[in-house]
Amino acid sequence: MPEDAQHTRRKIIHIDMDAFYASVEQRDHPEYRGKALVVGGLPEGRGGVVATASYEARKFGVRSAMPSKQALQLCPHAIFVRPRFAVYKEVSQKIREIFRRYTDLIEPLSLDEAYLDVTTDKLEIGSAIEIARQIKDAIKTELQLTASAGVSINKFVAKIASDMNKPDGLTFIGPSQLAAFMEKLPVERFFGVGKVTATKMKNMGLHTGADLKRLSEDEMVKAFGKAGRFYYQIVRGIDNRAVQPHRETKSVGAEDTFAYDLTQLDEMNPELDRIAETVATRLERYKLKGRTVTLKVKYHDFRQITRNQSVITPVYIAAEIAQIAKQLLAVAATDDMKVRLLGISLSNFGEPQRKAEPHTDQLRLF
C-alpha cells in the first residue's frame, strides 16, 4: 500500500484506444482488415512519418513516428494511407460521450486516450473495474473499436496498467498490489524519466523501482534535482495529481509536412494560408483569440526554427493569422532554404496587459 493512504480510495481509469487511427480505417474500409496498415505520410518521394500502425504492421517492427520509408523497408507489403483527422475527431467525441455517462471528471490527453475519475460515478455502480468493462463494451458495440483500460488509485499506475494487456485489455492494480508492482517496474517506465535520465540511473546501478526505493529523498534530490523529489514519491505509489476536466489550453496550432521541399516564398505563402484556415477553425471551436502567433519552420536537413510575433489586439481570423506568419517567414527566409514543414500556432489567450509597450508594433523575433 502506498504511503499516502488518504488517496488510496480514489478510483482512476485510463482508457487508451488500440491503434486508434488504423483501427478506424480498418473499420471503415473492410479491405484493410487483417492487413498491415500504416496511417501517416506516404513513403513515395521524400516520405513522411508514421502516425500509427495496425497491429498486423507492428509485428514487423513498424512504430509511430518512424519514417515511412523505414516502415516500408520493414514491412514491404504494408498499405499506406493518409490520416483523416476530421473523422478521428468525430469518433473521439463519441468516445467521450460514452465516458460522460459515468463521470464528468474526464481529462483527455489526446484524441485516443483519457483519464477518468470514477470515485463517485453518475450511475452509482461503485466498481471502477465494472465501469471500465462497461465503457470498453460500449465502445466495441457502438463504435466497432477496441480500447484498453487501466484501473488503479492514481493516474500514474492507471496509465501503465492500460498498456499491459493490449489490445482490448483490462488491468487492475489495487492498493495491495501496488508496492510489489512499483518495485518490479523498470526505471524507464516511470513518469518523467526520459532516455537521458534512465541512462544516468542505470549507470548508478538503479534499474528498477526497488533500486530507486533504496535511496533517501535527499539522495534522490542530490542526484536528479527537483525531479528527484517526484521520483521519491512516485516509486512509493504516491501520485496526488487530480484528473483535470478543464485543463487550460495553452496554444492552438496546425502544421503540414510537404511531399517535396519548398524553396520559394511564392510556394510557401499559399501553404501558410491553408494552415491558417485550419488554425482559425480550431480557434472558433474553442472560442479563443490569441495575441501571439508562432511560426514553425523545419528544413530538409531536419533543422527547425520558431519565430513569433505578439500583438495588442487578439487575432482569430485566418487572413490575419496568415499575414503575421508570412511576415515572420519573410524575415527568416534565406536564398538557399529548403523547407519540408511549416506550422502556425496561436497562444497568449489571456487578457492583455495594459501597461505601456512602446515597441509592440515591431516584430519580436527570438
Side-chain angles (χ1 to χ4, degrees), residues 36-302:
L37 181 69
V38 177
V39 180
L42 304 182
E44 290 81 9
R46 186 184 58 209
V49 297
V50 175
T52 194
S54 69
Y55 285 97
E56 294 86 355
R58 295 183 188 193
K59 293 177 182 178
F60 293 86
V62 179
R63 295 290 181 268
S64 299
M66 174 182 289
S68 297
K69 287 182 179 294
Q70 182 182 355
L72 183 62
Q73 292 173 348
L74 292 171
C75 189
H77 61 284
I79 302 169
F80 287 80
V81 298
R82 289 279 193 182
R84 298 182 297 153
F85 289 112
V87 175
Y88 308 148
K89 289 175 183 176
E90 181 180 350
V91 175
S92 181
Q93 288 301 316
K94 292 179 180 178
I95 294 169
R96 292 180 194 176
E97 289 172 9
I98 293 173
F99 295 162
R100 282 192 284 269
R101 298 172 190 171
Y102 301 90
T103 180
D104 291 324
L105 294 178
I106 304 164
E107 181 181 337
L109 301 179
S110 61
L111 292 178
D112 63 346
E113 63 174 318
Y115 289 114
L116 288 72
D117 187 330
V118 295
T119 306
T120 302
D121 68 278
K122 291 180 177 180
L123 302 182
E124 299 183 354
I125 295 171
S127 167
I129 299 173
E130 177 59 25
I131 293 171
R133 183 177 292 113
Q134 289 188 20
I135 288 173
K136 282 168 46 64
D137 288 346
I139 291 172
K140 184 178 294 185
T141 301
E142 299 173 27
L143 302 177
Q144 295 77 54
L145 298 168
T146 64
S148 292
V151 180
S152 192
I153 63 171
N154 61 47
K155 291 164 72 171
F156 172 72
V157 181
K159 184 172 175 63
I160 292 176
S162 69
D163 194 46
M164 293 181 65
N165 291 298
K166 274 185 163 289
D168 201 16
L170 172 55
T171 303
F172 169 65
I173 300 174
S176 63
Q177 307 165 278
L178 202 54
F181 174 78
M182 301 299 286
E183 289 177 359
K184 294 177 182 178
L185 198 66
V187 293
E188 56 267 26
R189 295 291 303 277
F190 279 84
F191 180 82
V193 176
K195 291 182 180 180
V196 174
T197 302
T199 299
K200 180 178 180 179
M201 287 179 173
K202 291 178 180 180
N203 289 340
M204 296 171 61
L206 307 173
H207 299 275
T208 66
D211 297 328
L212 291 175
K213 209 170 183 179
R214 290 199 298 266
L215 273 62
S216 69
E217 186 171 2
D218 288 342
E219 289 173 324
M220 292 284 274
V221 172
K222 184 177 180 180
F224 305 107
K226 292 181 179 179
R229 185 166 287 108
F230 176 75
Y231 301 150
Y232 178 84
Q233 292 186 340
I234 207 73
V235 75
R236 288 164 174 77
I238 303 172
D239 179 9
N240 298 336
R241 293 175 300 151
V243 171
Q244 299 177 330
H246 303 294
R247 291 197 303 173
E248 182 182 359
T249 301
K250 299 295 185 181
S251 66
V252 172
E255 61 185 39
D256 196 12
T257 300
F258 310 116
Y260 58 91
D261 296 329
L262 307 184
T263 60
Q264 303 295 323
L265 288 177
D266 288 346
E267 296 177 294
M268 300 176 203
N269 285 337
E271 298 296 339
L272 290 177
D273 287 331
R274 185 173 55 81
I275 295 170
E277 288 284 354
T278 302
V279 174
T281 299
R282 293 175 180 175
L283 289 169
E284 171 63 23
R285 182 183 306 136
Y286 295 110
K287 307 300 180 187
L288 292 171
K289 300 178 183 180
R291 298 196 318 279
T292 300
V293 177
T294 300
L295 172 74
K296 175 181 177 181
V297 183
K298 184 179 288 186
Y299 298 102
H300 71 289
D301 57 2
F302 291 92

Side-chain angles (χ1 to χ4, degrees), residues 302-326:
F302 291 92
R303 287 185 302 111
Q304 180 176 303
I305 65 168
T306 58
R307 299 289 186 265
N308 62 51
Q309 177 183 351
S310 294
V311 295
I312 295 177
T313 303
V315 295
Y316 63 99
I317 297 173
E320 296 174 345
I321 297 168
Q323 181 181 7
I324 296 171
K326 291 174 185 178

